[in-house]
Amino acid sequence: MSLMDGKRWDRIIGCGWSGMAYLFRRVLGGILFFLYVALWIYGYVSPLCFVYWMVTGWYVPAMFMFLLGIVPYFVDVKPSQLWRNLLYNGRFYFRSYAVEFDEKLGNRDKPFLLCVAPHGIFCSALGILATEQEFSHVRFLMAPLVYYAPFFNFLMLRTVGNFGSVSPAELRRRMESRENLAIVPGGIEESTIHSKAVNRIFLRSRKGFVKYALRYGYDLVPVWVDGESQTYFNAQGGWAWRLALNRHKLPAVAAFGAWFCPIMPNPSVDLKAHVGTPIVLPRIENPTEADIDMYHTKYASALVELYLRNNDPSLLEIW
């Protein structure tokens, strides 16, 4: 039975494996996840390194980095099913992985917007969901700075094929073409407030995605990921200045993951994505604040309901 055709269909990965096959897949998953995280970090760090080297007179490494950065944009990269199948193995890095659907999403008359929470530090579950064959018709949108990072875009995103930028212009273009989309509404702010002790989502003031969904007639599909909050430790406090950095699109996390490689997520985590029932929205070309607030509340309630199925209500914070 296809993942899109069943009600409350579970896929558990990492359970029941043993011996060398299990070890090989865990190691392969770790290598792939290291590549995913390292290239993500490079996307943020490389512009800063370039500016620093130019200011301090280190022109050779600066020019080398610049040339390496622009080469991918002159190479025509086609999506590769082989590379997609390889990246699929990244999920085996974790102890287990599961997807649960409340309702099939296959043959719908209206496009939908998957809204995934929480963000975590590096959107571990989002990267995994994007390589699911059953989600190949969904385009996963990321922050422009991450999406356009040369090597991350070249090796991870264009080769998989179903990624894009979440910039307003790109979002409008995708919605006008009626593509099924996926976003993480909490964005960079949700990564900043990430905590292993509680589950935090940045949602109270994050309403733009609801406005776009109403304007273009998209249904909202809430997705809650159990285990994402356990992938990293993140230093707490200093929220005012850290969120101020986020307003300038700068990351403000101080994260520590696996003991053997702190930039890697904790592998002893059970990730489970709960895909909820679509919230049907009307198409309103110019939605009012009241319209936006009403459907924002419906989405928030549906997301909380998914969370409460398997989690302690006292450990959820909505910022």
Side-chain angles (χ1 to χ4, degrees), residues 75-95:
V75 178
D76 185 24
V77 180
K78 301 295 184 183
S80 167
Q81 189 60 46
L82 179 63
W83 184 242
R84 183 185 181 88
N85 291 341
L86 178 63
L87 294 180
Y88 177 90
N89 289 277
R91 68 201 61 215
F92 294 106
Y93 172 72
F94 296 100
R95 185 167 58 193

Side-chain angles (χ1 to χ4, degrees), residues 218-259:
Y218 272 65
D219 292 342
L220 298 177
V221 181
V223 181
W224 179 269
V225 182
D226 285 330
E228 185 73 66
S229 64
Q230 300 303 305
T231 52
Y232 287 89
F233 166 82
N234 184 38
Q236 303 296 287
W239 304 124
W241 65 266
R242 290 170 74 174
L243 292 172
L245 286 175
N246 292 162
R247 287 194 287 273
H248 297 284
K249 309 304 179 185
L250 296 173
V253 299
F256 187 97
W259 63 268

Side-chain angles (χ1 to χ4, degrees), residues 24-317:
F24 174 76
R25 285 209 148 179
R26 289 297 295 270
V27 172
L28 177 60
I31 293 171
L32 292 169
F33 231 93
F34 177 80
L35 185 63
Y36 171 77
V37 171
L39 290 176
W40 185 305
I41 294 173
Y42 174 81
Y44 277 101
V45 172
S46 56
L48 299 177
C49 290
F50 176 76
V51 171
Y52 175 77
W53 284 335
M54 289 296 291
V55 170
T56 56
W58 288 58
Y59 300 120
V60 173
M63 289 299 102
F64 182 70
M65 175 175 281
F66 176 76
L67 291 174
L68 282 178
I70 65 173
V71 164
Y73 293 108
F74 292 95
V75 178
D76 185 24
V77 180
K78 301 295 184 183
S80 167
Q81 189 60 46
L82 179 63
W83 184 242
R84 183 185 181 88
N85 291 341
L86 178 63
L87 294 180
Y88 177 90
N89 289 277
R91 68 201 61 215
F92 294 106
Y93 172 72
F94 296 100
R95 185 167 58 193
S96 71
Y97 168 75
V99 181
E100 179 183 80
F101 283 79
D102 278 1
E103 184 177 308
K104 63 180 181 180
L105 299 175
N107 299 315
R108 293 177 54 81
D109 295 331
K110 289 178 63 181
F112 58 83
L113 181 65
L114 282 178
C115 302
V116 183
H119 183 289
I121 299 298
F122 291 112
C123 292
S124 301
L126 188 76
I128 292 172
L129 287 171
T131 59
E132 284 279 2
Q133 184 59 38
E134 293 84 355
F135 277 131
S136 60
H137 70 302
V138 179
R139 187 168 298 278
F140 289 74
L141 304 183
M142 310 179 74
L145 185 58
V146 176
Y147 177 72
Y148 289 110
F151 292 104
F152 192 71
N153 180 282
F154 180 71
L155 292 174
M156 285 288 179
L157 306 184
R158 280 197 275 172
T159 50
V160 175
N162 59 329
F163 281 94
S165 167
V166 78
S167 66
E170 185 80 357
L171 187 59
R172 286 193 296 268
R173 186 173 70 85
R174 299 289 182 188
M175 286 187 160
E176 286 170 357
S177 63
R178 315 302 286 164
E179 293 185 48
N180 293 319
L181 304 173
I183 63 169
V184 183
I188 193 173
E189 290 84 0
E190 204 163 88
S191 67
T192 295
I193 63 175
H194 172 93
S195 170
K196 287 188 73 173
V198 293
N199 291 281
R200 292 192 180 123
I201 51 176
F202 192 85
L203 188 60
R204 293 189 188 279
S205 61
R206 193 54 54 88
K207 301 179 181 181
F209 69 101
V210 180
K211 182 178 181 179
Y212 276 99
L214 286 168
R215 179 173 292 168
Y216 292 97
Y218 272 65
D219 292 342
L220 298 177
V221 181
V223 181
W224 179 269
V225 182
D226 285 330
E228 185 73 66
S229 64
Q230 300 303 305
T231 52
Y232 287 89
F233 166 82
N234 184 38
Q236 303 296 287
W239 304 124
W241 65 266
R242 290 170 74 174
L243 292 172
L245 286 175
N246 292 162
R247 287 194 287 273
H248 297 284
K249 309 304 179 185
L250 296 173
V253 299
F256 187 97
W259 63 268
F260 54 85
C261 183
I263 69 170
M264 294 277 285
N266 175 15
S268 301
V269 169
D270 300 306
L271 286 179
K272 188 169 186 178
H274 303 264
V275 183
T277 303
I279 303 166
V280 179
L281 272 63
R283 186 166 189 172
I284 306 174
E285 186 172 348
N286 295 300
T288 65
E289 289 298 322
D291 295 327
I292 296 169
D293 287 343
M294 180 174 68
Y295 288 101
H296 181 269
T297 300
K298 287 187 176 183
Y299 165 75
S301 299
L303 185 65
V304 170
E305 190 275 328
L306 289 178
Y307 167 83
L308 292 176
R309 288 182 186 174
N310 298 295
N311 298 283
D312 185 342
S314 67
L315 298 180
L316 177 65
E317 294 182 7

